[in-house]
Amino acid sequence: MVDDDFTLFLQEMADVKRLKTDVLTDENGEHLPTLAQLARRKAAELEPEYDANYLRMEYVDLVAPDEVLAYKKDGVQEGVYKNLRLGKYQIDATLMLLGKNLTDARRALFEFVADCHQRGIRTLLVHHGMGRDSKPQPAILKSYTYQWLKQIPSVLACHTAQKNHGSYAATYVLLQKNTEQKRENRDRHQKS
């Protein structure tokens, strides 16, 4: 039976001729991709496979160069936030974003905060500048940095730095304890 099927197939294919080219063209253009489809295809080809960095690059509300940045999550004690705001905590790590474009600043901030959190570093200082030289006047890097800090789950609070740490051109950041620090804290309190 298999031989009969194969013989029948060969008979049916006897008058088939090989195409001179393997590229098919649509004579009337009816099935050609639209400009929008071509643009989406190009964007998909350029897009990285996976970007773990969830910080958004969409438009943000721009802040003035001398605007105070102030943010704290629910549950952060007022005394803790006040100490951060007044620069009373020892700064354990500093990030300099000045001179970076938004793409590089986004990556640097994301990696810096993730690394600090993993290593158990709690108090950070981020230098983003004031945007005095930017045209138009609003501080673009400062605005995006503020927005990004609020998007990072491990950031408990942030506030414009005191004059001795950079004033409006820098921001204090307080990170939550990492898993190991939380476990140590829990163990310490259970022994009490």
Side-chain angles (χ1 to χ4, degrees), residues 1-66:
M1 178 94 173
V2 173
D3 278 340
D4 292 338
D5 288 341
F6 186 67
T7 304
L8 183 61
F9 173 75
L10 289 177
Q11 288 173 355
E12 291 294 322
M13 299 300 287
D15 62 342
V16 173
K17 295 183 178 131
R18 182 177 189 94
L19 293 173
K20 291 182 179 163
T21 178
D22 60 354
V23 177
L24 299 177
T25 59
D26 190 355
E27 302 275 329
N28 59 10
E30 178 177 328
H31 294 48
L32 292 176
T34 65
L35 289 176
Q37 289 170 328
L38 290 172
R40 283 195 299 272
R41 183 179 301 156
K42 183 173 176 104
E45 289 170 358
L46 295 175
E47 189 175 294
E49 284 185 31
Y50 174 71
D51 184 5
N53 188 340
Y54 47 79
L55 301 180
R56 296 188 308 271
M57 291 287 288
E58 293 116 27
Y59 176 81
V60 299
D61 292 328
L62 298 177
V63 299
D66 60 351

Side-chain angles (χ1 to χ4, degrees), residues 131-175:
R132 274 190 221 171
D133 298 331
S134 60
K135 307 283 186 254
Q137 189 60 27
I140 294 172
L141 185 56
K142 178 178 180 176
S143 303
Y144 274 92
T145 300
Y146 182 52
Q147 182 65 35
W148 291 332
L149 288 170
K150 295 188 293 183
Q151 293 172 14
I152 300 174
S154 61
V155 172
L156 291 176
C158 63
H159 197 280
T160 296
Q162 293 294 313
K163 192 172 188 176
N164 60 323
H165 289 129
S167 190
Y168 298 112
T171 300
Y172 297 128
V173 181
L174 180 65
L175 299 182

